[in-house]
Amino acid sequence: MTYMMPIVTRDYKFSDGTLEQLADLIAANLTRDLADLAPRGITAATVTALQQMRTNFSNVPTDDEAR
């Protein structure tokens, strides 16, 4: 019996690595501007949540690993 991985369809037209880099950049900018963004509800917890989502995404096996 073989196990088939579900097919994942991405809603974006760039590489997963680019998405990870974008998340890193956004987290760095949010951290830098945290004081200015506080009135908009952006907190250290918001940045931490973004970084955790990025880490979780990074830990998903790549297509090659899944094969």
Side-chain angles (χ1 to χ4, degrees), residues 23-63:
D24 290 340
L25 178 63
I26 291 170
N29 289 340
L30 290 174
T31 300
R32 181 195 65 206
D33 300 332
L34 206 52
D36 294 330
L37 294 169
R40 297 180 180 264
I42 304 298
T43 65
T46 307
V47 178
T48 300
L50 173 63
Q51 291 170 323
Q52 185 60 52
M53 285 188 286
R54 186 255 190 245
T55 299
N56 293 346
F57 180 78
S58 181
N59 289 337
V60 172
T62 65
D63 294 341

Side-chain angles (χ1 to χ4, degrees), residues 3-32:
Y3 176 73
M4 297 298 291
M5 294 292 292
I7 295 174
V8 176
T9 303
R10 290 165 175 81
D11 291 331
Y12 48 90
K13 302 289 185 205
F14 44 86
S15 71
D16 291 349
T18 299
L19 181 61
E20 291 174 12
Q21 289 177 332
L22 181 59
D24 290 340
L25 178 63
I26 291 170
N29 289 340
L30 290 174
T31 300
R32 181 195 65 206

